[in-house]
Amino acid sequence: MQPIALLHQFSDILLTPMKFSGYIRILSQRDNLFVKWGILVLLSLLTVLLFPSGEAIEADYRVGTIWTDKDLIAPFSFPIYKEEREYEQEREAAAKSVYRVFEEDASVSKNSIDSLQNFFERLQLVLAQEVMLNFKRRYHRASLSDIAADSAVVAEAVRSIPIGFTESEWNILMKLYLAGLHPSKKTPFMLQKLRRDVLLVVNQLYLQGIVDVRKSLFGADLNIAFRRKTDEEIVPLRRYLDQEELGRTVQQTFLSGYKRDNDTVSIATKIALSFLSPNIIFQKEQTEEEINAAMDAVPRTIGVVQQNERIIGKHERITDDIKLKLDSLRKAKAERSADINQFATLLGEFFHTFIVSLLLGIYLFLFRKKIYHDNAKILLIALIILLEAFFTYLTLTIDVDAPIEFLIVVPAGSMLLAIIFDSRVAFYGTVAMAFVVAGVRGNDYGLALTSLIAGSMALYTVRDIKHRTQIFRSITFIFIGYVVSIIALSLERYDSLLSILNQCLFAAANSVFSPVLTYGLLIFFERMFHVTTDLTLLELSDFNHPLLRELSQKAPGTFHHSVNMGTLAEAAAEAIGANAILARVGAYYHDVGKITKPAMFIENQQRAADKYDRLTPRVSANVIAAHVSDGVEMAREYGIPDAVLDFIPMHHGTTKISFFYDQAVKRRRKHEVINENDFRYPGPRPQTKETGIVMLADAVEASTRAIEEPTIQKIEEKIDAIIKTRFMEGELDECDLTLRDLTKIKSSFLKILGGIYHARIQYPEMEAPEIYPAPAETASEPPVVERRHHRRIKSNDVS
């Protein structure tokens, strides 16, 4: 495949959310060690790009703070560089001091005046031809064909005039021409006078000068360098005319010469403007060259620090001059090591992130294997770390004199990890993010400590989150974490009160922004990475959820069964350390497929079994098994996440629908073969501890309801039988449940069911109330003990 095609394919993946989500799903299903190492290396390489270019800061120093290290001696001689902002201001001042260069183009005025003279000659010729043509027409001195030919010649001559005159303007020009043919008449305005005046005005304006730029863009008071051949003169730009002023100046000039004759003024102005062009040309390239030369001439340094010279002593306050020397030393070290140790620096930056991320990966391998074996979740953790590194990089690129490093949203990353995974993963992730932030900021480990404390406080507030708005509860705790660490570090550095307040102000902004960012990113990560957080599960556990509400209305018996199962599954999951919320919610939704045909299941109708009398055993088994596929389809329509949807097909696994299978065996004809697979659920078998628990809870809850006169012993025997059967059938082979887990699950089931089916005291019946209360009986019958149970059927294959 060509590289361009690969690039287009990669772009399609990134720009199409559905495709990206699909690739994440595939990545989650493939536990490939090379992918894990690839994510680790890619994270380290991308983070290296965000590191400062070799300018590591040995200490966090600001003007006004106290130098707490030992005396700093210059290891070599180096220049003292000006502060970057001051240097740029001097360069800007040097650029503004350069005169803009303008040159006179003499050919413009010469060519325009020559063209103007030719124009009047052709105009006079056209007017003469027009007069002759009118004479021939009036006195019939030529044939019609000759007149037509002369008219065509005159029309062509009119079109050759470079200025388009209106009919009224041609009439005025004709009057001026005719006035010149009769000099005896004392006519003040003639064509010859118009020609002389226009030439005079055009020539005067060219002598004054017309610039090719708008003076308003440069400033009217700007002085320019005016060059004529080899001479240069510094003159104000206002001496010359620009295009905006030219029209007004020409019109005013002619108005002063042709009083009360507006028609002639209009024609004269139109002719003059047609032959006026800028003759003072702005030399942009020459100006830029001189500006660059002036800017380059600004000195970058203001002095030199000699080798072995003391830069600052211990417990000495950092002033502006000392800070310049410290910054210059840092830059000089970076320049000296740019050629020799550049590779070593990059390698160190790479291993900085690599080792930190590797340690986090080792923790996941040892203590969070479920996350470790899910490459999509590893990619999610890497993206959160990379996001923090990017925010840190932005604080380096923004040149402001403020502690914007406290705007790095490490608490947001901590809360995301705590909500998506758990508090322990979030803590170790916060440690990793703090070290990466410190590295990108030039080994600022004071900031690392601050970020670690604030991030830890943030994850503490969401470790047992119950609803999304609880995220905003962390604002106060984040701010407290920042304030405590800022005050501690500032007192150690002897920072001023104003500096401490300024840092706390930015920390307060971070405390507000981090929860907001967490709220938004959480929704994005949940959808793109198919992550089902406890928040989502708690929202799904609400009985007002549309799907659960529909289940309770259309299949109330199934709903009651699911709620009881949720209690069993949650208790069992807690007993073995599985996700109790996921198990409970999975139990709630495991039988939603029964909504389509609720009457076909015994828990919803008292005589549901009669409905199968008219069906063959195979068809009946298909009806029972169909609630799995119907449930999957319905769950997808309601947007149920995959983690919950998996409970629908897995809670039955590949178990046999034994009731109808036994009927098929009894009713089979001679030589008829009964395929056992036709009476099995499609599966798959449970893949997680939670789905395995729900499978057992489903069978136990349904079976114990069918026990006549239930006792603890009967219930325990039934639980043992079900767990043993599922275990021997291999239904639990693909989940992580151990024999120890099964023992704990049995105990938790027995404890819950023992509480449900415990013995109760039957109270004596109440007599009808009287107007006056009867005296209390001196003796009563002993209480009668009964057991709580309902009408049951022994077979649970239709539940």
Side-chain angles (χ1 to χ4, degrees):
M1 186 179 289
Q2 297 295 327
I4 296 180
L6 286 171
L7 181 61
H8 284 302
Q9 184 177 2
F10 182 70
S11 301
D12 291 340
I13 293 172
L14 292 180
L15 297 177
T16 308
M18 293 300 294
K19 288 185 177 181
F20 180 78
S21 180
Y23 278 91
I24 290 297
R25 190 188 300 274
I26 295 174
L27 186 65
S28 178
Q29 296 171 353
R30 296 181 179 178
D31 182 21
N32 192 314
L33 183 61
F34 291 102
V35 175
K36 293 177 175 51
W37 283 104
I39 294 174
L40 178 61
V41 173
L42 184 62
L43 171 64
S44 303
L45 290 176
L46 292 176
T47 308
V48 167
L49 300 178
L50 304 177
F51 272 75
S53 57
E55 300 181 12
I57 305 172
E58 290 90 358
D60 181 19
Y61 53 86
R62 295 186 181 90
V63 175
T65 59
I66 304 299
W67 183 264
T68 56
D69 293 341
K70 63 181 180 180
D71 292 358
L72 181 60
I73 307 299
F76 49 81
S77 298
F78 61 89
I80 303 175
Y81 294 95
K82 295 178 181 178
E83 187 180 9
E84 194 65 30
R85 182 179 299 178
E86 178 186 356
Y87 177 64
E88 290 300 327
Q89 289 176 351
E90 292 182 1
R91 284 170 57 87
E92 291 177 4
K96 292 179 181 179
S97 66
V98 175
Y99 296 112
R100 273 51 179 173
V101 179
F102 288 80
E103 287 188 359
E104 181 185 24
D105 188 353
S107 62
V108 174
S109 58
K110 183 178 181 304
N111 294 335
S112 295
I113 292 175
D114 292 343
S115 299
L116 182 60
Q117 291 177 343
N118 292 332
F119 163 77
F120 275 109
E121 291 176 0
R122 294 177 64 182
L123 177 63
Q124 189 170 355
L125 179 61
V126 169
L127 293 173
Q129 291 175 344
E130 182 71 22
V131 169
M132 183 59 67
L133 179 61
N134 291 335
F135 178 77
K136 290 179 180 181
R137 287 174 177 170
R138 184 174 183 179
Y139 296 103
H140 306 287
R141 296 300 180 90
S143 63
L144 293 176
S145 60
D146 292 340
I147 292 175
D150 291 342
S151 298
V153 172
V154 172
E156 182 65 25
V158 170
R159 286 194 294 270
S160 66
I161 299 297
I163 303 176
F165 293 113
T166 63
E167 184 177 354
S168 61
E169 290 173 341
W170 277 110
N171 293 333
I172 295 172
L173 290 172
M174 181 62 72
K175 290 180 181 179
L176 294 175
Y177 175 74
L178 294 175
L181 297 178
H182 303 282
S184 59
K185 294 183 179 181
K186 306 299 182 180
T187 305
F189 305 130
M190 297 180 296
L191 187 62
Q192 291 80 358
K193 184 178 185 305
L194 177 66
R195 174 178 180 174
R196 183 175 64 254
D197 292 342
V198 172
L199 283 169
L200 180 62
V201 170
V202 170
N203 188 59
Q204 288 178 345
L205 291 176
Y206 273 126
L207 290 176
Q208 181 179 354
I210 305 170
V211 294
D212 64 339
V213 296
R214 293 172 58 187
K215 292 194 296 185
S216 58
L217 298 178
F218 287 85
D221 297 331
L222 180 71
N223 290 331
I224 63 172
F226 175 65
R227 294 176 181 176
R228 181 185 287 116
K229 296 182 180 180
T230 59
D231 298 333
E232 179 177 296
E233 181 183 5
I234 306 301
V235 296
L237 182 59
R238 63 174 177 272
R239 173 186 295 184
Y240 305 105
L241 299 174
D242 61 8
Q243 295 289 345
E244 295 178 350
E245 298 173 323
L246 188 60
R248 296 193 300 269
T249 302
V250 171
Q251 188 176 26
Q252 292 296 330
T253 303
F254 284 120
L255 281 174
S256 61
Y258 296 94
K259 298 178 179 179
R260 298 181 180 178
D261 192 350
N262 294 330
D263 294 336
T264 305
V265 170
S266 176
I267 293 176
T269 302
K270 188 172 186 178
I271 296 173
L273 290 176
S274 300
F275 292 92
L276 284 172
S277 301
N279 64 331
I280 309 298
I281 310 302
F282 174 55
Q283 304 299 318
K284 184 177 181 180
E285 293 183 0
Q286 295 182 25
T287 302
E288 289 180 350
E289 289 178 0
E290 295 194 9
I291 289 175
N292 292 333
M295 293 174 67
D296 294 340
V298 176
R300 185 69 181 85
T301 61
I302 56 175
V304 176
V305 174
Q306 299 296 332
Q307 185 176 2
N308 297 324
E309 180 181 342
R310 191 182 75 164
I311 300 175
I312 187 173
K314 187 174 182 180
H315 296 158
E316 187 177 346
R317 187 174 297 276
I318 299 175
T319 62
D320 291 330
D321 293 338
I322 293 177
K323 187 176 185 302
L324 285 180
K325 293 180 181 179
L326 294 173
D327 292 339
S328 300
L329 176 61
R330 181 188 62 182
K331 187 171 185 177
K333 284 184 176 181
E335 292 175 350
R336 289 169 68 92
S337 62
D339 299 329
I340 302 175
N341 298 324
Q342 184 65 26
F343 177 76
T345 301
L346 292 175
L347 193 63
E349 294 170 350
F350 173 83
F351 277 105
H352 181 101
T353 304
F354 184 85
I355 293 175
V356 169
S357 303
L358 180 62
L359 292 175
L360 179 60
I362 293 174
Y363 165 76
L364 295 177
F365 173 75
L366 294 176
F367 303 103
R368 291 293 184 272
K369 291 186 179 294
K370 187 175 180 180
I371 300 175
Y372 174 80
H373 291 296
D374 190 339
N375 287 331
K377 287 185 172 61
I378 293 178
L379 177 61
L380 174 57
I381 295 173
L383 285 178
I384 292 176
I385 295 175
L386 185 62
L387 183 66
E388 298 296 341
F390 177 71
F391 275 111
T392 308
Y393 171 76
L394 291 181
T395 63
L396 293 174
T397 58
I398 301 174
D399 185 17
V400 295
D401 187 16
I404 58 174
E405 63 271 17
F406 291 104
L407 293 179
I408 302 173
V409 288
V410 172
S414 303
M415 288 189 289
L416 285 171
L417 292 175
I419 296 172
I420 296 174
F421 302 107
D422 56 58
S423 58
R424 291 187 179 181
V425 173
F427 176 75
Y428 288 106
T430 302
V431 174
M433 289 186 292
F435 276 99
V436 171
V437 166
V440 177
R441 283 288 303 182
N443 300 331
D444 187 355
Y445 292 103
L447 178 61
L449 177 62
T450 303
S451 301
L452 178 60
I453 295 175
S456 300
M457 295 290 287
L459 69 90
Y460 170 80
T461 60
V462 296
R463 74 191 192 286
D464 57 349
I465 190 168
K466 301 300 181 184
H467 48 81
R468 295 184 185 271
T469 55
Q470 190 177 338
I471 294 175
F472 299 98
R473 189 184 68 176
S474 59
I475 293 176
T476 303
F477 290 87
I478 296 173
F479 182 66
I480 291 174
Y482 271 122
V483 169
V484 170
S485 55
I486 287 172
I487 292 176
L489 293 175
S490 298
L491 291 177
E492 192 268 340
R493 292 192 301 254
Y494 299 97
D495 285 351
S496 64
L497 179 61
L498 181 61
S499 175
I500 296 175
L501 292 176
N502 198 20
Q503 295 175 47
C504 291
L505 178 62
F506 279 84
N510 190 350
S511 303
V512 175
F513 181 64
S514 288
V516 175
L517 183 63
T518 302
Y519 191 92
L521 288 178
L522 181 61
I523 299 174
F524 170 78
F525 286 139
E526 282 180 326
R527 294 184 178 179
M528 298 304 295
F529 286 86
H530 308 287
V531 175
T532 305
T533 64
D534 288 350
L535 279 176
T536 304
L537 295 175
L538 289 171
E539 292 168 354
L540 292 173
S541 67
D542 186 358
F543 291 151
N544 288 319
H545 188 279
L547 187 54
L548 291 181
R549 190 164 59 246
E550 185 177 359
L551 179 65
S552 65
Q553 293 172 354
K554 295 184 178 180
T558 301
F559 176 76
H560 180 71
H561 160 69
S562 300
V563 172
N564 290 340
M565 268 184 61
T567 304
L568 292 173
E570 184 176 26
E574 289 179 351
I576 67 171
N579 191 331
I581 302 177
L582 178 60
R584 174 162 59 89
V585 174
Y588 288 169
Y589 289 86
H590 80 287
D591 267 347
V592 292
K594 294 181 180 180
I595 293 176
T596 56
K597 298 176 182 178
M600 301 302 292
F601 299 93
I602 190 64
E603 67 267 23
N604 297 313
Q605 296 292 336
Q606 292 295 324
R607 301 186 61 80
D610 298 341
K611 297 181 181 292
Y612 294 95
D613 293 342
R614 297 186 298 272
L615 303 176
T616 64
R618 180 176 297 179
V619 173
S620 298
N622 291 337
V623 172
I624 293 297
H627 84 276
V628 173
S629 57
D630 292 341
V632 171
E633 182 179 352
M634 188 172 296
R636 285 177 179 162
E637 289 178 359
Y638 278 85
I640 303 301
D642 293 343
V644 178
L645 188 145
D646 289 341
F647 285 85
I648 299 175
M650 292 182 188
H651 81 276
H652 281 302
T654 58
T655 56
K656 183 170 59 178
I657 308 176
S658 57
F659 180 81
F660 293 113
Y661 176 75
D662 293 340
Q663 282 191 350
V665 172
K666 292 178 182 179
R667 299 179 186 180
R668 69 176 177 177
R669 300 174 183 175
K670 189 175 182 180
H671 305 300
E672 181 183 2
V673 178
I674 303 298
N675 188 354
E676 185 176 320
N677 291 329
D678 293 339
F679 294 86
R680 288 189 177 274
Y681 287 99
R685 292 174 174 176
Q687 305 293 311
T688 63
K689 289 184 177 183
E690 291 80 11
T691 51
I693 290 171
V694 169
M695 167 183 272
L696 297 175
D698 183 34
V700 167
E701 201 280 334
S703 298
T704 52
R705 280 190 289 116
I707 298 176
E708 295 290 342
E709 297 295 332
T711 63
I712 295 297
Q713 183 179 357
K714 291 181 180 180
I715 294 174
E716 184 176 6
E717 291 174 355
K718 178 63 70 175
I719 296 173
D720 280 337
I722 291 174
I723 294 178
K724 183 178 180 180
T725 301
R726 295 290 182 262
F727 181 79
M728 297 303 295
E729 289 176 348
E731 294 296 326
L732 303 178
D733 290 350
E734 298 178 17
C735 63
D736 300 330
L737 292 176
T738 64
L739 292 176
R740 179 177 296 178
D741 291 337
L742 294 177
T743 302
K744 293 180 179 178
I745 291 172
K746 169 194 167 183
S747 299
S748 64
F749 283 173
L750 186 60
K751 182 178 179 181
I752 297 295
L753 294 173
I756 294 176
Y757 299 108
H758 66 276
R760 295 181 180 273
I761 297 176
Q762 181 174 350
Y763 293 93
E765 295 183 359
M766 300 294 293
E767 296 181 358
E770 300 180 358
I771 298 177
Y772 297 99
E777 297 289 342
T778 57
S780 61
E781 296 293 331
V784 179
V785 177
E786 70 168 3
R787 295 193 177 273
R788 176 189 174 194
H789 62 278
H790 305 284
R791 176 183 179 272
R792 314 175 194 278
I793 61 172
K794 292 184 179 180
S795 175
N796 62 335
D797 288 313
V798 293
S799 61

